[in-house]
CSV table of all heavy atoms in Angstrom, one decimal:
chain,number,residue,atom,x,y,z
A,1,ALA,N,6.9,10.4,-2.4
A,1,ALA,CA,7.4,11.3,-3.4
A,1,ALA,C,9.0,11.3,-3.4
A,1,ALA,O,9.6,10.9,-2.4
A,1,ALA,CB,6.9,12.7,-3.3
A,2,LEU,N,9.6,11.8,-4.5
A,2,LEU,CA,11.0,11.9,-4.5
A,2,LEU,C,11.5,12.9,-3.5
A,2,LEU,O,10.7,13.9,-3.2
A,2,LEU,CB,11.5,12.4,-5.9
A,2,LEU,CG,11.3,11.4,-7.1
A,2,LEU,CD1,11.6,12.0,-8.4
A,2,LEU,CD2,12.1,10.1,-6.9
A,3,ARG,N,12.7,12.7,-2.9
A,3,ARG,CA,13.3,13.6,-1.9
A,3,ARG,C,12.5,13.6,-0.6
A,3,ARG,O,12.6,14.5,0.2
A,3,ARG,CB,13.3,15.0,-2.5
A,3,ARG,CG,14.4,15.2,-3.6
A,3,ARG,CD,14.2,16.6,-4.3
A,3,ARG,NE,14.2,17.7,-3.3
A,3,ARG,CZ,15.3,18.2,-2.9
A,3,ARG,NH1,16.5,17.7,-3.2
A,3,ARG,NH2,15.3,19.3,-2.1
A,4,VAL,N,11.8,12.5,-0.4
A,4,VAL,CA,11.1,12.2,0.9
A,4,VAL,C,11.8,11.0,1.5
A,4,VAL,O,11.8,9.9,0.8
A,4,VAL,CB,9.6,12.1,0.8
A,4,VAL,CG1,9.0,11.7,2.2
A,4,VAL,CG2,9.0,13.3,0.3
A,5,TYR,N,12.3,11.0,2.7
A,5,TYR,CA,13.1,9.9,3.2
A,5,TYR,C,12.4,9.4,4.5
A,5,TYR,O,11.5,10.0,5.0
A,5,TYR,CB,14.5,10.4,3.5
A,5,TYR,CG,15.2,10.9,2.3
A,5,TYR,CD1,15.2,12.3,2.0
A,5,TYR,CD2,15.9,10.1,1.5
A,5,TYR,CE1,15.8,12.8,0.9
A,5,TYR,CE2,16.6,10.6,0.3
A,5,TYR,CZ,16.5,11.9,0.1
A,5,TYR,OH,17.1,12.4,-1.1
A,6,VAL,N,12.9,8.2,5.0
A,6,VAL,CA,12.3,7.6,6.2
A,6,VAL,C,13.4,7.2,7.1
A,6,VAL,O,13.8,6.0,7.1
A,6,VAL,CB,11.4,6.4,5.8
A,6,VAL,CG1,10.6,5.9,7.1
A,6,VAL,CG2,10.4,6.7,4.7
A,7,PRO,N,14.0,8.1,7.9
A,7,PRO,CA,15.1,7.7,8.8
A,7,PRO,C,14.7,7.1,10.1
A,7,PRO,O,15.5,6.5,10.8
A,7,PRO,CB,15.7,9.1,9.1
A,7,PRO,CG,14.6,10.1,9.0
A,7,PRO,CD,13.7,9.5,7.9
A,8,ALA,N,13.4,7.1,10.4
A,8,ALA,CA,13.0,6.5,11.7
A,8,ALA,C,11.5,6.0,11.6
A,8,ALA,O,10.7,6.6,11.0
A,8,ALA,CB,13.1,7.6,12.8
A,9,THR,N,11.3,4.9,12.4
A,9,THR,CA,10.0,4.2,12.4
A,9,THR,C,9.7,3.8,13.8
A,9,THR,O,10.6,3.3,14.5
A,9,THR,CB,10.0,3.0,11.5
A,9,THR,OG1,10.3,3.4,10.1
A,9,THR,CG2,8.6,2.3,11.4
A,10,LEU,N,8.5,3.9,14.2
A,10,LEU,CA,8.0,3.4,15.5
A,10,LEU,C,6.9,2.4,15.3
A,10,LEU,O,5.9,2.8,14.6
A,10,LEU,CB,7.6,4.5,16.4
A,10,LEU,CG,8.6,5.3,17.2
A,10,LEU,CD1,8.0,6.5,17.9
A,10,LEU,CD2,9.4,4.4,18.1
A,11,LEU,N,7.0,1.3,15.9
A,11,LEU,CA,5.9,0.3,15.8
A,11,LEU,C,5.3,0.0,17.2
A,11,LEU,O,6.1,-0.3,18.1
A,11,LEU,CB,6.4,-1.0,15.2
A,11,LEU,CG,6.7,-1.0,13.7
A,11,LEU,CD1,7.6,-2.2,13.3
A,11,LEU,CD2,5.4,-1.0,12.9
A,12,PHE,N,4.0,0.0,17.3
A,12,PHE,CA,3.3,-0.4,18.5
A,12,PHE,C,2.3,-1.5,18.1
A,12,PHE,O,2.3,-2.0,17.0
A,12,PHE,CB,2.5,0.8,19.1
A,12,PHE,CG,3.4,1.9,19.5
A,12,PHE,CD1,3.6,3.1,18.6
A,12,PHE,CD2,4.2,1.9,20.6
A,12,PHE,CE1,4.4,4.1,18.9
A,12,PHE,CE2,5.0,3.0,21.0
A,12,PHE,CZ,5.1,4.1,20.1
A,13,GLU,N,1.5,-2.0,19.0
A,13,GLU,CA,0.7,-3.1,18.8
A,13,GLU,C,-0.3,-2.9,17.6
A,13,GLU,O,-0.4,-3.8,16.7
A,13,GLU,CB,-0.1,-3.5,20.0
A,13,GLU,CG,-1.0,-4.8,19.8
A,13,GLU,CD,-1.7,-5.2,21.1
A,13,GLU,OE1,-1.6,-4.5,22.1
A,13,GLU,OE2,-2.4,-6.2,21.0
A,14,ARG,N,-0.9,-1.7,17.5
A,14,ARG,CA,-1.8,-1.4,16.5
A,14,ARG,C,-1.5,-0.2,15.7
A,14,ARG,O,-2.1,0.1,14.7
A,14,ARG,CB,-3.2,-1.2,17.1
A,14,ARG,CG,-3.8,-2.5,17.8
A,14,ARG,CD,-5.2,-2.2,18.3
A,14,ARG,NE,-6.1,-1.9,17.2
A,14,ARG,CZ,-6.7,-2.9,16.5
A,14,ARG,NH1,-6.5,-4.1,16.7
A,14,ARG,NH2,-7.5,-2.5,15.5
A,15,ASP,N,-0.4,0.5,16.0
A,15,ASP,CA,0.0,1.7,15.4
A,15,ASP,C,1.4,1.7,14.9
A,15,ASP,O,2.3,1.0,15.4
A,15,ASP,CB,-0.1,2.9,16.4
A,15,ASP,CG,-1.5,3.2,16.9
A,15,ASP,OD1,-2.0,2.4,17.8
A,15,ASP,OD2,-2.2,4.1,16.4
A,16,VAL,N,1.6,2.4,13.8
A,16,VAL,CA,3.0,2.6,13.2
A,16,VAL,C,3.2,4.0,12.8
A,16,VAL,O,2.2,4.7,12.3
A,16,VAL,CB,3.2,1.6,12.0
A,16,VAL,CG1,2.2,1.9,10.9
A,16,VAL,CG2,4.6,1.8,11.5
A,17,PHE,N,4.3,4.6,13.1
A,17,PHE,CA,4.7,6.0,12.8
A,17,PHE,C,5.9,6.0,12.0
A,17,PHE,O,6.9,5.3,12.3
A,17,PHE,CB,4.9,6.8,14.1
A,17,PHE,CG,3.7,7.0,14.9
A,17,PHE,CD1,3.2,6.0,15.8
A,17,PHE,CD2,2.9,8.2,14.8
A,17,PHE,CE1,2.1,6.2,16.6
A,17,PHE,CE2,1.8,8.4,15.5
A,17,PHE,CZ,1.4,7.4,16.4
A,18,PHE,N,5.9,6.8,10.9
A,18,PHE,CA,7.1,6.9,10.0
A,18,PHE,C,7.5,8.4,10.1
A,18,PHE,O,6.7,9.3,9.8
A,18,PHE,CB,6.8,6.5,8.6
A,18,PHE,CG,6.5,5.0,8.5
A,18,PHE,CD1,5.2,4.6,8.4
A,18,PHE,CD2,7.5,4.1,8.4
A,18,PHE,CE1,4.9,3.3,8.3
A,18,PHE,CE2,7.2,2.7,8.2
A,18,PHE,CZ,5.9,2.3,8.2
A,19,LEU,N,8.7,8.7,10.4
A,19,LEU,CA,9.3,10.0,10.3
A,19,LEU,C,9.8,10.3,8.9
A,19,LEU,O,10.6,9.5,8.4
A,19,LEU,CB,10.4,10.2,11.3
A,19,LEU,CG,11.0,11.6,11.6
A,19,LEU,CD1,10.0,12.4,12.3
A,19,LEU,CD2,12.3,11.5,12.4
A,20,MET,N,9.3,11.3,8.2
A,20,MET,CA,9.6,11.5,6.8
A,20,MET,C,10.0,13.0,6.5
A,20,MET,O,9.2,13.8,6.2
A,20,MET,CB,8.4,11.1,6.0
A,20,MET,CG,7.9,9.7,6.3
A,20,MET,SD,6.6,9.1,5.1
A,20,MET,CE,5.4,10.5,5.2
A,21,PRO,N,11.3,13.3,6.6
A,21,PRO,CA,11.8,14.6,6.2
A,21,PRO,C,11.6,14.8,4.7
A,21,PRO,O,12.0,13.9,3.9
A,21,PRO,CB,13.2,14.6,6.6
A,21,PRO,CG,13.6,13.2,6.7
A,21,PRO,CD,12.4,12.5,7.2
A,22,ASP,N,10.9,15.9,4.3
A,22,ASP,CA,10.6,16.2,3.0
A,22,ASP,C,11.4,17.3,2.5
A,22,ASP,O,11.2,18.5,2.8
A,22,ASP,CB,9.1,16.5,2.9
A,22,ASP,CG,8.6,16.6,1.4
A,22,ASP,OD1,9.5,16.8,0.5
A,22,ASP,OD2,7.4,16.6,1.2
A,23,HIS,N,12.4,17.1,1.6
A,23,HIS,CA,13.3,18.1,1.2
A,23,HIS,C,12.6,19.0,0.1
A,23,HIS,O,13.2,20.0,-0.3
A,23,HIS,CB,14.6,17.5,0.6
A,23,HIS,CG,15.5,17.0,1.7
A,23,HIS,ND1,16.6,17.6,2.1
A,23,HIS,CD2,15.4,15.9,2.5
A,23,HIS,CE1,17.2,16.9,3.1
A,23,HIS,NE2,16.5,15.9,3.4
A,24,ASN,N,11.5,18.6,-0.4
A,24,ASN,CA,10.8,19.4,-1.3
A,24,ASN,C,10.2,20.7,-0.7
A,24,ASN,O,10.0,21.7,-1.3
A,24,ASN,CB,9.6,18.6,-2.0
A,24,ASN,CG,10.2,17.4,-2.7
A,24,ASN,OD1,10.9,17.5,-3.7
A,24,ASN,ND2,9.8,16.2,-2.2
A,25,ILE,N,9.8,20.5,0.6
A,25,ILE,CA,9.2,21.6,1.3
A,25,ILE,C,10.0,22.0,2.6
A,25,ILE,O,9.7,23.0,3.3
A,25,ILE,CB,7.8,21.3,1.8
A,25,ILE,CG1,7.8,20.0,2.7
A,25,ILE,CG2,6.9,21.1,0.6
A,25,ILE,CD1,6.4,19.7,3.3
A,26,ASN,N,11.2,21.3,2.8
A,26,ASN,CA,12.0,21.6,4.0
A,26,ASN,C,11.3,21.5,5.3
A,26,ASN,O,11.6,22.2,6.2
A,26,ASN,CB,12.7,23.0,3.8
A,26,ASN,CG,13.9,22.9,2.9
A,26,ASN,OD1,14.6,21.9,2.8
A,26,ASN,ND2,14.1,24.0,2.2
A,27,LYS,N,10.4,20.5,5.3
A,27,LYS,CA,9.6,20.3,6.6
A,27,LYS,C,9.6,18.8,6.8
A,27,LYS,O,9.9,18.0,5.9
A,27,LYS,CB,8.2,20.8,6.5
A,27,LYS,CG,8.2,22.4,6.4
A,27,LYS,CD,6.7,22.9,6.3
A,27,LYS,CE,6.7,24.4,6.1
A,27,LYS,NZ,5.3,24.9,6.0
């Protein structure tokens, strides 16, 4: 969605994590 960003990503062999601060909900 708009105002959702991705400043950090973690990659493992089978898993991936995206950190996504959402300014629409401030969480």
Side-chain angles (χ1 to χ4, degrees):
L2 293 175
R3 290 168 53 84
V4 177
Y5 303 91
V6 189
T9 302
L10 279 178
L11 286 165
F12 301 100
E13 184 177 1
R14 300 182 61 83
D15 297 78
V16 58
F17 293 83
F18 297 96
L19 187 71
M20 305 190 307
D22 186 342
H23 287 253
N24 300 293
I25 59 175
N26 280 327
K27 297 179 182 178

